[in-house]
Amino acid sequence: MHEVDSLSDGNVPFIFFFQTKDERELRYILKRDNFSYPVCIDTEDIFKKLNRFPEEMMFQTFLIDSENRVKVIGNPIHNLSVKDLYLKEIAGIEVVPLSVTTIEADSTEYHYGVVGENMTASRKIILRNTGKEVFRIKGTTTSCDCMTAEYDWDEIPPGRKAAMTIEYKAEEPGDFWRTITIYGNIPKKSVTLDFWGTVRK
């Protein structure tokens, strides 16, 4: 949303429709996170039924023009090709596809061990560009708000390495399994890494 605001000088409004049976919990989450965008809480799921949206969540995000015509469909957060279409439509940007390369992490699974409740644990991961083109990162997503990815680089030249720090804020006691997805110019557009451990009081 911040990226769209910067491209359009804040002229592209956002509205969110939430369907939930627990309206009280949703209102609590929105207030807790200081969510300031317009929200419609659709407890009867009327909006989806009227528009006959596909069941697949990926296709329940869309861009409409000033005459309410759908211009782009798809989730720009989880699909970089769709994100490029959104940016092109919003700002008239011609997106030139990046040459594809490959990256490898030093592991596919990372163990935090035992983490104290409400404590934060960190793990450093190493990414190596094993291809012939420069790897350009386009962002990361996490499986929950309890995890963050921090890095101070935008690209990795061929044959070089770069570090990324993954922090986990412990939730309720018990075993946990979380994921980080890294997006960029690689064959499948993204790579997902697993992080697990145990939270104890």
Side-chain angles (χ1 to χ4, degrees):
M1 291 185 286
H2 294 299
E3 190 171 354
V4 169
D5 285 344
S6 66
L7 286 173
S8 65
D9 294 325
N11 291 323
V12 177
F14 289 83
I15 184 167
F16 295 82
F17 284 81
F18 290 101
Q19 191 282 323
T20 179
K21 294 181 180 180
D22 193 341
E23 182 178 345
R24 184 177 179 182
E25 180 185 15
L26 177 59
R27 289 186 181 277
Y28 166 76
I29 293 171
L30 294 172
K31 185 176 181 180
R32 180 196 66 190
D33 294 344
N34 295 315
F35 195 81
S36 60
Y37 290 88
V39 168
C40 174
I41 300 176
D42 187 4
T43 56
E44 303 297 325
D45 209 14
I46 295 173
F47 186 66
K48 178 182 174 183
K49 293 173 183 176
L50 285 174
N51 290 277
R52 299 179 182 176
F53 294 133
E55 289 299 322
E56 174 59 53
M57 289 289 292
M58 186 68 70
F59 302 111
Q60 294 181 14
T61 301
F62 47 88
L63 176 71
I64 60 175
D65 63 15
S66 58
E67 297 180 0
N68 290 327
R69 293 176 299 193
V70 175
K71 305 296 289 185
V72 184
I73 297 176
N75 191 322
I77 301 300
H78 299 294
N79 188 316
L80 293 179
S81 297
V82 172
K83 178 181 177 181
D84 289 343
L85 290 175
Y86 273 78
L87 296 179
K88 179 179 178 181
E89 189 67 38
I90 291 169
I93 297 174
E94 281 294 334
V95 179
V96 179
L98 295 174
S99 298
V100 175
T101 190
T102 55
I103 61 168
E104 288 183 3
D106 54 342
S107 179
T108 56
E109 293 184 8
Y110 299 86
H111 189 209
Y112 280 108
V114 177
V115 183
E117 188 177 13
N118 297 319
M119 300 296 290
T120 299
S122 296
R123 283 300 309 264
K124 181 175 286 187
I125 67 172
I126 303 298
L127 298 173
R128 182 172 183 267
N129 185 343
T130 56
K132 297 181 179 180
E133 303 291 339
V134 174
F135 171 69
R136 293 183 173 86
I137 192 167
K138 288 195 172 185
T140 61
T141 58
T142 62
S143 58
C144 75
D145 292 338
C146 58
M147 297 195 75
T148 59
E150 296 181 0
Y151 52 95
D152 58 2
W153 48 270
D154 295 317
E155 57 185 43
I156 307 175
R160 301 293 294 274
K161 300 176 182 179
M164 182 178 289
T165 300
I166 311 299
E167 291 193 341
Y168 170 71
K169 176 66 179 297
E171 301 172 303
E172 67 274 3
D175 295 334
F176 66 88
W177 192 290
R178 300 289 184 266
T179 62
I180 294 284
T181 302
I182 302 168
Y183 298 90
N185 55 321
I186 50 182
K188 293 184 179 181
K189 306 295 184 184
S190 67
V191 60
T192 299
L193 305 176
D194 297 315
F195 296 80
W196 57 285
T198 301
V199 177
R200 289 184 184 165
K201 290 186 178 181

PDB file of all heavy atoms in Angstrom, residues 108-127:
ATOM      1  N   THR A 108      17.395 -25.547   4.380  1.00  0.00           N
ATOM      2  CA  THR A 108      15.974 -25.361   4.061  1.00  0.00           C
ATOM      3  C   THR A 108      15.138 -25.301   5.330  1.00  0.00           C
ATOM      4  O   THR A 108      13.982 -24.904   5.300  1.00  0.00           O
ATOM      5  CB  THR A 108      15.447 -26.500   3.169  1.00  0.00           C
ATOM      6  OG1 THR A 108      15.688 -27.752   3.819  1.00  0.00           O
ATOM      7  CG2 THR A 108      16.134 -26.485   1.817  1.00  0.00           C
ATOM      8  N   GLU A 109      15.736 -25.731   6.462  1.00  0.00           N
ATOM      9  CA  GLU A 109      15.053 -25.685   7.759  1.00  0.00           C
ATOM     10  C   GLU A 109      15.997 -25.080   8.801  1.00  0.00           C
ATOM     11  O   GLU A 109      17.195 -25.353   8.799  1.00  0.00           O
ATOM     12  CB  GLU A 109      14.638 -27.087   8.214  1.00  0.00           C
ATOM     13  CG  GLU A 109      13.574 -27.736   7.364  1.00  0.00           C
ATOM     14  CD  GLU A 109      13.147 -29.082   7.940  1.00  0.00           C
ATOM     15  OE1 GLU A 109      13.577 -29.412   9.067  1.00  0.00           O
ATOM     16  OE2 GLU A 109      12.386 -29.790   7.264  1.00  0.00           O
ATOM     17  N   TYR A 110      15.414 -24.273   9.676  1.00  0.00           N
ATOM     18  CA  TYR A 110      16.205 -23.627  10.728  1.00  0.00           C
ATOM     19  C   TYR A 110      15.522 -23.852  12.070  1.00  0.00           C
ATOM     20  O   TYR A 110      14.316 -23.629  12.205  1.00  0.00           O
ATOM     21  CB  TYR A 110      16.349 -22.133  10.448  1.00  0.00           C
ATOM     22  CG  TYR A 110      17.058 -21.845   9.143  1.00  0.00           C
ATOM     23  CD1 TYR A 110      16.336 -21.790   7.942  1.00  0.00           C
ATOM     24  CD2 TYR A 110      18.435 -21.650   9.105  1.00  0.00           C
ATOM     25  CE1 TYR A 110      16.981 -21.540   6.749  1.00  0.00           C
ATOM     26  CE2 TYR A 110      19.084 -21.397   7.909  1.00  0.00           C
ATOM     27  CZ  TYR A 110      18.355 -21.341   6.729  1.00  0.00           C
ATOM     28  OH  TYR A 110      18.987 -21.101   5.534  1.00  0.00           O
ATOM     29  N   HIS A 111      16.317 -24.288  13.052  1.00  0.00           N
ATOM     30  CA  HIS A 111      15.762 -24.627  14.352  1.00  0.00           C
ATOM     31  C   HIS A 111      16.108 -23.538  15.366  1.00  0.00           C
ATOM     32  O   HIS A 111      17.280 -23.230  15.576  1.00  0.00           O
ATOM     33  CB  HIS A 111      16.320 -25.980  14.809  1.00  0.00           C
ATOM     34  CG  HIS A 111      15.647 -26.511  16.024  1.00  0.00           C
ATOM     35  ND1 HIS A 111      16.279 -27.336  16.929  1.00  0.00           N
ATOM     36  CD2 HIS A 111      14.380 -26.339  16.500  1.00  0.00           C
ATOM     37  CE1 HIS A 111      15.438 -27.647  17.910  1.00  0.00           C
ATOM     38  NE2 HIS A 111      14.286 -27.044  17.661  1.00  0.00           N
ATOM     39  N   TYR A 112      15.085 -22.958  15.999  1.00  0.00           N
ATOM     40  CA  TYR A 112      15.302 -21.954  17.033  1.00  0.00           C
ATOM     41  C   TYR A 112      15.585 -22.583  18.396  1.00  0.00           C
ATOM     42  O   TYR A 112      15.997 -21.894  19.321  1.00  0.00           O
ATOM     43  CB  TYR A 112      14.066 -21.054  17.159  1.00  0.00           C
ATOM     44  CG  TYR A 112      13.976 -19.974  16.115  1.00  0.00           C
ATOM     45  CD1 TYR A 112      13.043 -20.052  15.099  1.00  0.00           C
ATOM     46  CD2 TYR A 112      14.810 -18.865  16.159  1.00  0.00           C
ATOM     47  CE1 TYR A 112      12.946 -19.059  14.136  1.00  0.00           C
ATOM     48  CE2 TYR A 112      14.718 -17.869  15.210  1.00  0.00           C
ATOM     49  CZ  TYR A 112      13.781 -17.965  14.196  1.00  0.00           C
ATOM     50  OH  TYR A 112      13.693 -16.970  13.258  1.00  0.00           O
ATOM     51  N   GLY A 113      15.313 -23.868  18.527  1.00  0.00           N
ATOM     52  CA  GLY A 113      15.471 -24.497  19.826  1.00  0.00           C
ATOM     53  C   GLY A 113      14.329 -24.093  20.747  1.00  0.00           C
ATOM     54  O   GLY A 113      13.192 -23.907  20.316  1.00  0.00           O
ATOM     55  N   VAL A 114      14.640 -23.922  22.028  1.00  0.00           N
ATOM     56  CA  VAL A 114      13.628 -23.515  23.004  1.00  0.00           C
ATOM     57  C   VAL A 114      13.666 -22.001  23.166  1.00  0.00           C
ATOM     58  O   VAL A 114      14.736 -21.417  23.406  1.00  0.00           O
ATOM     59  CB  VAL A 114      13.868 -24.201  24.363  1.00  0.00           C
ATOM     60  CG1 VAL A 114      12.856 -23.712  25.388  1.00  0.00           C
ATOM     61  CG2 VAL A 114      13.784 -25.720  24.211  1.00  0.00           C
ATOM     62  N   VAL A 115      12.488 -21.367  23.026  1.00  0.00           N
ATOM     63  CA  VAL A 115      12.370 -19.910  23.139  1.00  0.00           C
ATOM     64  C   VAL A 115      11.434 -19.594  24.291  1.00  0.00           C
ATOM     65  O   VAL A 115      10.357 -20.191  24.416  1.00  0.00           O
ATOM     66  CB  VAL A 115      11.812 -19.301  21.833  1.00  0.00           C
ATOM     67  CG1 VAL A 115      11.771 -17.780  21.940  1.00  0.00           C
ATOM     68  CG2 VAL A 115      12.642 -19.734  20.633  1.00  0.00           C
ATOM     69  N   GLY A 116      11.821 -18.670  25.140  1.00  0.00           N
ATOM     70  CA  GLY A 116      10.967 -18.270  26.249  1.00  0.00           C
ATOM     71  C   GLY A 116       9.745 -17.503  25.772  1.00  0.00           C
ATOM     72  O   GLY A 116       9.809 -16.754  24.798  1.00  0.00           O
ATOM     73  N   GLU A 117       8.617 -17.719  26.444  1.00  0.00           N
ATOM     74  CA  GLU A 117       7.374 -17.037  26.078  1.00  0.00           C
ATOM     75  C   GLU A 117       7.579 -15.526  26.092  1.00  0.00           C
ATOM     76  O   GLU A 117       8.189 -14.972  27.009  1.00  0.00           O
ATOM     77  CB  GLU A 117       6.260 -17.426  27.043  1.00  0.00           C
ATOM     78  CG  GLU A 117       4.880 -16.926  26.625  1.00  0.00           C
ATOM     79  CD  GLU A 117       3.795 -17.402  27.562  1.00  0.00           C
ATOM     80  OE1 GLU A 117       4.131 -17.903  28.656  1.00  0.00           O
ATOM     81  OE2 GLU A 117       2.608 -17.287  27.201  1.00  0.00           O
ATOM     82  N   ASN A 118       7.096 -14.856  25.021  1.00  0.00           N
ATOM     83  CA  ASN A 118       7.213 -13.406  24.833  1.00  0.00           C
ATOM     84  C   ASN A 118       8.646 -12.939  24.597  1.00  0.00           C
ATOM     85  O   ASN A 118       8.911 -11.731  24.610  1.00  0.00           O
ATOM     86  CB  ASN A 118       6.615 -12.637  26.019  1.00  0.00           C
ATOM     87  CG  ASN A 118       5.134 -12.892  26.174  1.00  0.00           C
ATOM     88  OD1 ASN A 118       4.395 -12.938  25.184  1.00  0.00           O
ATOM     89  ND2 ASN A 118       4.680 -13.082  27.405  1.00  0.00           N
ATOM     90  N   MET A 119       9.562 -13.871  24.369  1.00  0.00           N
ATOM     91  CA  MET A 119      10.941 -13.511  24.039  1.00  0.00           C
ATOM     92  C   MET A 119      11.114 -13.505  22.514  1.00  0.00           C
ATOM     93  O   MET A 119      10.302 -14.075  21.782  1.00  0.00           O
ATOM     94  CB  MET A 119      11.914 -14.501  24.676  1.00  0.00           C
ATOM     95  CG  MET A 119      11.825 -14.569  26.189  1.00  0.00           C
ATOM     96  SD  MET A 119      12.275 -13.003  26.986  1.00  0.00           S
ATOM     97  CE  MET A 119      14.036 -12.984  26.657  1.00  0.00           C
ATOM     98  N   THR A 120      12.182 -12.854  22.039  1.00  0.00           N
ATOM     99  CA  THR A 120      12.482 -12.796  20.613  1.00  0.00           C
ATOM    100  C   THR A 120      13.774 -13.552  20.331  1.00  0.00           C
ATOM    101  O   THR A 120      14.790 -13.325  20.999  1.00  0.00           O
ATOM    102  CB  THR A 120      12.620 -11.346  20.129  1.00  0.00           C
ATOM    103  OG1 THR A 120      11.382 -10.656  20.345  1.00  0.00           O
ATOM    104  CG2 THR A 120      12.959 -11.298  18.643  1.00  0.00           C
ATOM    105  N   ALA A 121      13.718 -14.463  19.367  1.00  0.00           N
ATOM    106  CA  ALA A 121      14.893 -15.247  18.979  1.00  0.00           C
ATOM    107  C   ALA A 121      15.283 -14.886  17.550  1.00  0.00           C
ATOM    108  O   ALA A 121      14.428 -14.588  16.715  1.00  0.00           O
ATOM    109  CB  ALA A 121      14.596 -16.740  19.075  1.00  0.00           C
ATOM    110  N   SER A 122      16.584 -14.888  17.273  1.00  0.00           N
ATOM    111  CA  SER A 122      17.087 -14.531  15.945  1.00  0.00           C
ATOM    112  C   SER A 122      17.876 -15.679  15.342  1.00  0.00           C
ATOM    113  O   SER A 122      18.557 -16.415  16.054  1.00  0.00           O
ATOM    114  CB  SER A 122      17.984 -13.291  16.020  1.00  0.00           C
ATOM    115  OG  SER A 122      17.273 -12.160  16.448  1.00  0.00           O
ATOM    116  N   ARG A 123      17.764 -15.818  14.016  1.00  0.00           N
ATOM    117  CA  ARG A 123      18.586 -16.762  13.265  1.00  0.00           C
ATOM    118  C   ARG A 123      19.089 -16.053  12.017  1.00  0.00           C
ATOM    119  O   ARG A 123      18.330 -15.364  11.333  1.00  0.00           O
ATOM    120  CB  ARG A 123      17.784 -18.002  12.852  1.00  0.00           C
ATOM    121  CG  ARG A 123      17.551 -19.009  13.944  1.00  0.00           C
ATOM    122  CD  ARG A 123      18.812 -19.591  14.549  1.00  0.00           C
ATOM    123  NE  ARG A 123      19.737 -20.104  13.559  1.00  0.00           N
ATOM    124  CZ  ARG A 123      19.792 -21.383  13.193  1.00  0.00           C
ATOM    125  NH1 ARG A 123      18.965 -22.269  13.732  1.00  0.00           N
ATOM    126  NH2 ARG A 123      20.665 -21.784  12.303  1.00  0.00           N
ATOM    127  N   LYS A 124      20.364 -16.227  11.743  1.00  0.00           N
ATOM    128  CA  LYS A 124      20.935 -15.653  10.525  1.00  0.00           C
ATOM    129  C   LYS A 124      20.983 -16.728   9.455  1.00  0.00           C
ATOM    130  O   LYS A 124      21.423 -17.849   9.706  1.00  0.00           O
ATOM    131  CB  LYS A 124      22.333 -15.110  10.795  1.00  0.00           C
ATOM    132  CG  LYS A 124      22.981 -14.457   9.562  1.00  0.00           C
ATOM    133  CD  LYS A 124      24.319 -13.820   9.904  1.00  0.00           C
ATOM    134  CE  LYS A 124      24.095 -12.535  10.678  1.00  0.00           C
ATOM    135  NZ  LYS A 124      25.377 -11.791  10.884  1.00  0.00           N
ATOM    136  N   ILE A 125      20.495 -16.373   8.259  1.00  0.00           N
ATOM    137  CA  ILE A 125      20.567 -17.300   7.139  1.00  0.00           C
ATOM    138  C   ILE A 125      21.475 -16.701   6.065  1.00  0.00           C
ATOM    139  O   ILE A 125      21.628 -15.479   5.965  1.00  0.00           O
ATOM    140  CB  ILE A 125      19.173 -17.615   6.557  1.00  0.00           C
ATOM    141  CG1 ILE A 125      18.567 -16.369   5.901  1.00  0.00           C
ATOM    142  CG2 ILE A 125      18.244 -18.159   7.628  1.00  0.00           C
ATOM    143  CD1 ILE A 125      17.290 -16.645   5.154  1.00  0.00           C
ATOM    144  N   ILE A 126      22.087 -17.565   5.285  1.00  0.00           N
ATOM    145  CA  ILE A 126      22.977 -17.132   4.210  1.00  0.00           C
ATOM    146  C   ILE A 126      22.379 -17.560   2.874  1.00  0.00           C
ATOM    147  O   ILE A 126      22.042 -18.738   2.674  1.00  0.00           O
ATOM    148  CB  ILE A 126      24.387 -17.732   4.356  1.00  0.00           C
ATOM    149  CG1 ILE A 126      24.991 -17.370   5.714  1.00  0.00           C
ATOM    150  CG2 ILE A 126      25.283 -17.250   3.220  1.00  0.00           C
ATOM    151  CD1 ILE A 126      25.189 -15.891   5.954  1.00  0.00           C
ATOM    152  N   LEU A 127      22.240 -16.612   1.958  1.00  0.00           N
ATOM    153  CA  LEU A 127      21.751 -16.893   0.615  1.00  0.00           C
ATOM    154  C   LEU A 127      22.903 -16.741  -0.368  1.00  0.00           C
ATOM    155  O   LEU A 127      23.647 -15.760  -0.316  1.00  0.00           O
ATOM    156  CB  LEU A 127      20.627 -15.925   0.235  1.00  0.00           C
ATOM    157  CG  LEU A 127      19.358 -15.967   1.090  1.00  0.00           C
ATOM    158  CD1 LEU A 127      18.430 -14.837   0.691  1.00  0.00           C
ATOM    159  CD2 LEU A 127      18.664 -17.309   0.947  1.00  0.00           C
TER     160      LEU A 127
END
